[in-house]
Amino acid sequence: MSFTVIIPARLASTRLPDKPLADIGGLPMIVRVAQRAALSQAARIVVATDSHEVRQACEMHQVEAVMTRADHASGSDRLAEACELLGLDGTDLVVNVQGDEPLIAPSMIDACVRLLRERPQCVMSTVAHALDDAAEFANPNVVKLVTDAQGLALYFSRAPLPWWRDGSSPAAPTPKPGSALRHVGLYAYHAGFLRRFPTLAASPLEQIESLEQLRVLWHGERIAVHVSDEKPGPGVDTPEDLARVRRLIEAQGD
């Protein structure tokens, strides 16, 4: 199962400046992410960045990095340029691992790729897990999704989805047990589609929700969803998240 993991990384972050370089147990976060991805079955791990500081940090720790433009609207756009720079063939498989997931499960990466191989009608695959926590269900920073009977994505949203008519109220959205899914920002693509992605017009839904995967659905393409039994480790969006991950890494002795 040969595939390439590309990790998009940019320094600009309103909630946590210089996030990819944040120290976690003596290593920059972007290096932590690359090391976790390297535990998957990936043949190659590459960081795609617009920052010379990020590239230098990667090179210091023997992590391959390529320089991309600074004007990309999304991580998928940055990966599309990286595919060109790396000379990947249109049939090659590429996995987008977010640069703020230093505890990403390698098995989750492998499962996402396997699913895409099994679903030739899909241009992408992604990951979700069961969501039962009411606070997370109501949190707009937690992306929810719904699928069809074949496990293909119907919609992604920051809103509580699906709405439990008989068990929720506007003041207290509540997930019906066993029905809600939390989206994990992990994607596998065919490199050929990834190159085509920037040529697709941005969709109104994508702009409203600020979710780039809605562009794919808007243009009639299909996204397969792997529903994982395990929850991913926490990502890092805020200083509080960073402190939490530091504690977890320290407890693991890594």
Side-chain angles (χ1 to χ4, degrees):
M1 185 167 63
S2 179
F3 60 93
T4 299
V5 167
I6 304 180
I7 307 167
R10 61 189 184 94
L11 284 183
S13 173
T14 56
R15 290 182 290 183
L16 189 58
D18 297 343
K19 183 164 65 169
L21 300 178
D23 182 272
I24 300 178
L27 291 174
M29 179 161 59
I30 191 65
V31 173
R32 288 275 181 187
V33 176
Q35 290 178 343
R36 290 292 292 176
L39 297 176
S40 73
Q41 296 180 34
R44 190 176 186 185
I45 312 295
V46 183
V47 171
T49 184
D50 59 6
S51 163
H52 291 284
E53 293 90 342
V54 170
R55 183 183 66 177
Q56 290 168 359
C58 290
E59 291 175 348
M60 285 179 60
H61 296 279
Q62 293 74 54
V63 174
E64 184 178 1
V66 294
M67 292 295 296
T68 54
R69 301 197 317 270
D71 60 349
H72 289 302
S74 71
S76 294
D77 292 301
R78 192 175 305 283
L79 262 69
E81 183 188 357
C83 284
E84 295 288 348
L85 294 172
L86 297 172
L88 297 181
D89 185 79
T91 60
D92 289 339
L93 295 181
V94 176
V95 179
N96 179 348
V97 173
Q98 302 297 312
D100 56 6
E101 295 284 347
L103 295 173
I104 186 72
S107 60
M108 203 173 279
I109 297 173
D110 294 336
C112 191
V113 174
R114 277 196 301 271
L115 180 61
L116 184 58
R117 286 186 178 279
E118 295 167 359
R119 299 296 183 97
Q121 76 274 36
C122 297
V123 296
M124 286 173 57
S125 60
T126 192
V127 178
H129 66 83
L131 174 59
D132 298 317
D133 184 87
E136 290 188 344
F137 190 60
N139 186 347
N141 293 317
V142 174
V143 178
K144 280 70 67 174
L145 67 93
V146 290
T147 66
D148 66 12
Q150 283 73 48
L152 305 183
L154 289 172
Y155 193 66
F156 299 81
S157 182
R158 298 182 182 279
L161 186 79
W163 186 264
W164 187 15
R165 187 195 65 176
D166 298 327
S168 289
S169 69
T174 304
K176 184 176 181 179
S179 69
L181 294 173
R182 177 177 185 165
H183 181 228
V184 178
L186 173 69
Y187 303 99
Y189 324 71
H190 296 286
F193 172 73
L194 194 50
R195 286 200 187 104
R196 183 160 61 89
F197 179 84
T199 70
L200 300 175
S203 76
L205 295 174
E206 170 191 5
Q207 294 170 332
I208 292 169
E209 297 258 19
S210 191
L211 296 173
E212 64 187 87
Q213 61 270 37
L214 291 175
R215 186 187 315 184
V216 180
L217 299 182
W218 176 265
H219 288 279
E221 301 288 2
R222 308 310 303 271
I223 301 175
V225 180
H226 168 69
V227 179
S228 175
D229 292 330
E230 62 179 323
K231 293 184 179 180
V236 177
D237 289 317
T238 66
E240 294 76 19
D241 295 335
L242 179 59
R244 180 185 180 192
V245 168
R246 282 171 170 163
R247 288 194 299 269
L248 289 169
I249 293 288
E250 184 179 0
Q252 293 171 2
D254 292 338

